[in-house]
């Protein structure tokens, strides 16, 4: 099971008009600890720039990631899984957060529903929200990344 950390990286970015602007971008990293998350994002960002600082590392509650190779944005879907307590006949909802890659809101919904088609559990979507996450880096299990 993945352990996702949101990292924020601050660096000078050359804009389309040629100007240089200080930006902070968010990246998601699968790591075992805060230290490993910081080391992993440093390794990934070093490919793009040599001058950067990591301004934040925080644990997320993301349970799963649905990828779409053409999607260039990341959407956070909060979904409630519905279960029924057999003794009391009371409906219980447990909230999960799933990150979905897509180009737009409709595609995020479609990709989420496609990813959920094999589930037998009842669920309802609470929210779908575009995130500021730029990229997602899986655990490095033999050199394979997102």
């Amino acid at each position: 099971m993945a352990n996702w950390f949101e990292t924020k990286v601050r660096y000078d970015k050359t804009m389309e008009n040629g100007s240089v602007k200080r930006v902070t971008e968010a990246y998601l990293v699968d790591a075992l600890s805060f230290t490993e998350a910081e080391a992993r994002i440093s390794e990934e960002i070093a490919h793009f720039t040599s001058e950067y600082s990591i301004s934040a590392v925080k644990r997320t509650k993301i349970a799963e990631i649905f990828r779409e190779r053409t999607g260039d944005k990341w959407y956070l879907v909060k979904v409630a899984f519905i279960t029924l307590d057999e003794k009391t006949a009371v409906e219980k909802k447990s909230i999960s957060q799933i990150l979905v890659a897509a180009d737009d809101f409709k595609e995020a919904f479609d990709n989420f529903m496609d990813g959920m088609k094999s589930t037998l559990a009842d669920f309802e979507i609470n929210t779908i929200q575009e995130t500021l996450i730029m990229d997602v880096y899986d655990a490095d299990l033999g050199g394979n990344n997102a």
Side-chain angles (χ1 to χ4, degrees):
M1 182 171 160
N3 196 17
W4 295 105
F5 289 85
E6 182 179 328
T7 61
K8 295 202 175 174
V9 179
R10 192 170 177 86
Y11 67 97
D12 292 331
K13 182 177 185 176
T14 304
M15 307 310 281
E16 290 180 11
N17 64 4
S19 66
V20 176
K21 182 179 178 183
R22 191 108 167 116
V23 297
T24 301
E25 294 180 339
Y27 297 88
L28 209 61
V29 178
D30 181 12
L32 296 174
S33 66
F34 289 88
T35 305
E36 182 186 351
E38 185 173 351
R40 295 260 341 275
I41 197 60
S42 293
E43 181 182 322
E44 296 295 340
I45 293 301
H47 297 291
F48 305 108
T49 182
S50 59
E51 298 287 325
Y52 65 90
S53 65
I54 298 169
S55 58
V57 177
K58 69 177 183 177
R59 191 178 307 271
T60 69
K61 294 181 179 181
I62 294 172
E64 196 167 346
I65 295 183
F66 295 163
R67 299 177 186 276
E68 178 60 41
R69 292 292 175 206
T70 61
D72 65 349
K73 297 178 187 173
W74 292 97
Y75 291 82
L76 185 64
V77 179
K78 290 186 182 176
V79 60
F81 290 98
I82 303 164
T83 56
L84 187 63
D85 186 316
E86 293 179 13
K87 292 181 182 178
T88 62
V90 173
E91 215 176 64
K92 181 182 176 191
K93 294 181 181 180
S94 59
I95 305 296
S96 287
Q97 297 182 19
I98 298 175
L99 198 65
V100 179
D103 288 319
D104 57 37
F105 183 87
K106 181 181 180 329
E107 187 177 304
F109 174 80
D110 292 343
N111 290 348
F112 172 78
M113 293 305 287
D114 189 48
M116 295 298 288
K117 68 183 174 192
S118 63
T119 187
L120 299 175
D122 291 332
F123 65 89
E124 59 186 34
I125 296 172
N126 288 351
T127 61
I128 299 177
Q129 179 179 352
E130 184 178 345
T131 70
L132 297 175
I133 294 170
M134 300 299 291
D135 209 347
V136 174
Y137 297 103
D138 292 315
D140 191 5
L141 304 173
N144 296 330
N145 269 335

